[in-house]
Amino acid sequence: MNKPLADYVKLPEFDEYKEWFKNFADLKREDGIVQVTWKTNDGPMHHSGMSHRACSQLTRVLSLDFKNEIIIFTHIGDNWMIESDANGWETYSELPTQRFQHQYFDDTNLIKNMVFDIDVPTIGAIPGPGFHWDSAMLCDVTICTEDTKMEVPHAQGGLVPGDGMGLMCQHYMGTKVGNYYMMTARQFTAQDMLKYGMVSEVVPKGKAVERAWEIARMWKTMPYENRTIMSNLARRPLKKLLVDDLKLHTVSEQYGSLLRVAAGDLGDENSSQQDEKYISRTSDWRYATHDMEQPMTRELWLGMPAKAAEWWKKVESGEIENPYVFEHSNEPEGYGF
C-alpha cells in the first residue's frame, strides 16, 4: 500500500494535556471513560477569569482526543464550586480587549464547547451545592446529591443574568418558572431540579460520582458508534436553543456590565452592580443557610451582605462551623488520583 502524501496531524496525548490543566482539573481515564474533576490547585475550584477560560479550553481539547469515549464532569470534594478568587478578575478590568475576550468569547465558549465540540456521551455528577453549574447541567445525563441547591445569582448583585444559566432555567423549567428563578436569584433544591427536569436522578450524599460511573460502564456495553450517535440525539434540543439564543444572552450581560463601567458604579456591595471579585464574601453563607431558598424580597436582597458578614463572624469566633471545608471524598471506592 502506498503512503499518503501527508500523515495525520499529531495532537496532544492525554498525559500531555492532563499536565496542561493540572491547576484547574484532575483528569483520569479508564477504559475510555474520562472523569474531569474541577478544582483549583489542590482544593475546590475558585471562580476566576482563569478558571472560567480553562473550562472551555479543556472541553475543546478533550473533544480532539478520540480515545475519550465517555466523559464525566464533577467537582472536587463534597460540593460544586462555591469559592471565588478575589484576585482572579483583574484582567476583566482591562478595557477594551481583555474584558471583551472574557465576556464575548469565554462566556459563550464555556457553554458552546460543551454542546457543540464534544461528540461523545457526557454525564454531570454534582456532589453538592454550588454555583456556575453549566458544565454539569449541559451533559446528556446529570446526577446530583440530595443536599444540592443552586441558583442564578446575578440579578441580586445588579448583573444581567446572561451567562447561559438563566437561558438553561428557561429551557428546563419553562418560561415563567425559569424567568422567576433567573430574575429573583431564589435557590432551587435537588428536588426542585428533578421536578423541573434539570437533573436526571437525585442520589444520596457521596454517591453522585459512583452513580455516574455505573451509567458510563453501562453505556460502554453499547457499540461505540451507536452510543455516540445517541449522544447527538440527546444534545439536539440544546444545540437548537444555543444557536437561537446563547450569543444574545452573553452579549446582553456584557452590554449591561459595560454600561455600569461607563457609569462608574461597578464595584462592591454598595455599588449598583457587584464586581465578580466580591462574590466570595457571600458564597459559603449562601449554601450554609436556607435564606435564599425562600421567595426573594427587596429586604432579603439588600440584607445579604450584612447577613453573610454576621455569619462569617460567628464562624471565625467558633460559634458555628462552616460546612464547606474542602474534603477530597467524592470518588468511588478504589478510584483515587
Side-chain angles (χ1 to χ4, degrees):
M1 182 176 177
N2 294 330
K3 279 190 171 184
L5 291 174
D7 206 346
Y8 292 106
V9 173
K10 173 68 171 66
L11 294 174
E13 296 289 338
F14 187 81
D15 287 342
E16 292 179 76
Y17 59 81
K18 177 180 178 180
E19 182 69 15
W20 295 353
F21 290 95
K22 65 181 181 181
N23 292 334
F24 299 103
D26 279 330
L27 301 182
K28 182 85 172 184
R29 185 166 66 194
E30 178 184 302
D31 190 27
I33 303 169
V34 179
Q35 180 176 318
V36 176
T37 304
W38 298 121
K39 61 169 194 166
T40 297
N41 298 329
D42 294 322
M45 177 166 270
H46 283 59
H47 189 38
S48 68
M50 299 78 190
S51 67
H52 208 235
R53 180 166 294 173
C55 289
S56 63
Q57 290 172 327
L58 178 54
T59 52
R60 182 162 287 165
V61 172
L62 287 168
S63 74
L64 297 174
D65 188 346
F66 288 170
K67 295 176 184 176
N68 299 330
E69 299 182 30
I70 297 170
I71 305 176
I72 297 168
F73 290 91
T74 189
H75 187 283
I76 201 168
D78 288 330
N79 53 268
W80 197 256
M81 177 166 49
I82 284 178
E83 309 303 332
S84 183
D85 182 353
N87 299 308
W89 296 100
E90 293 311 310
T91 51
Y92 260 65
S93 304
E94 297 179 20
L95 292 168
T97 303
Q98 289 273 20
R99 186 163 197 124
F100 172 78
Q101 290 171 339
H102 277 298
Q103 289 200 288
Y104 191 82
F105 295 131
D106 292 351
D107 276 9
T108 303
N109 289 339
L110 187 72
I111 305 290
K112 176 180 68 67
N113 294 0
M114 281 290 303
V115 175
F116 287 97
D117 281 15
I118 296 177
D119 292 311
V120 297
T122 54
I123 306 171
I126 304 174
F131 66 87
H132 242 304
W133 33 263
D134 337 57
S135 63
M137 296 295 186
L138 289 164
C139 289
D140 302 333
V141 167
T142 302
I143 312 298
C144 78
T145 55
E146 56 201 355
D147 66 324
T148 299
K149 56 179 180 175
M150 296 174 159
E151 74 285 293
V152 183
H154 305 67
Q156 186 273 328
L159 179 65
V160 176
D163 67 347
M165 288 189 287
L167 178 60
M168 282 187 275
C169 280
Q170 291 175 322
H171 172 70
Y172 290 121
M173 297 178 170
T175 304
K176 290 295 183 181
V177 176
N179 287 349
Y180 170 73
Y181 281 104
M182 176 181 73
M183 298 174 74
T184 68
R186 181 179 177 176
Q187 286 180 336
F188 30 90
T189 65
Q191 289 303 320
D192 291 331
M193 289 187 277
L194 184 63
K195 171 185 173 182
Y196 292 121
M198 297 184 78
V199 300
S200 314
E201 288 185 14
V202 176
V203 299
K205 187 66 177 175
K207 297 294 185 180
V209 174
E210 181 179 327
R211 178 60 178 142
W213 275 85
E214 286 178 349
I215 294 172
R217 291 189 177 108
M218 177 183 71
W219 285 344
K220 278 288 291 185
T221 67
M222 292 180 65
Y224 165 75
E225 296 83 3
N226 288 14
R227 66 170 178 264
T228 301
I229 296 168
M230 176 179 72
S231 176
N232 181 65
L233 291 179
R235 217 164 292 167
R236 183 170 166 76
L238 282 175
K239 287 183 177 181
K240 293 194 289 185
L241 173 73
L242 299 187
V243 166
D244 285 344
D245 289 330
L246 178 60
K247 183 57 78 174
L248 174 63
H249 275 242
T250 56
V251 170
S252 294
E253 180 176 314
Q254 180 185 28
Y255 182 57
S257 294
L258 291 177
L259 287 173
R260 301 278 60 78
V261 170
D265 56 4
L266 175 71
D268 63 16
E269 299 93 333
N270 299 311
S271 303
S272 66
Q273 181 179 319
Q274 197 174 133
D275 198 333
E276 295 273 11
K277 69 177 70 175
Y278 296 103
I279 291 175
S280 58
R281 294 188 184 180
T282 61
S283 287
D284 286 20
W285 162 80
R286 282 156 56 190
Y287 304 104
T289 69
H290 296 286
D291 296 56
M292 290 183 65
E293 294 176 42
Q294 58 188 301
M296 294 286 99
T297 65
R298 179 178 185 274
E299 288 69 31
L300 283 171
W301 271 23
L302 295 177
M304 282 184 187
K307 281 191 172 186
E310 187 62 32
W311 181 83
W312 272 109
K313 286 179 184 177
K314 292 180 179 180
V315 170
E316 290 167 353
S317 69
E319 184 179 340
I320 60 173
E321 184 180 353
N322 179 6
Y324 299 110
V325 177
F326 166 66
E327 293 178 8
H328 196 161
S329 60
N330 69 328
E331 318 304 347
E333 187 175 347
Y335 190 79
F337 288 102

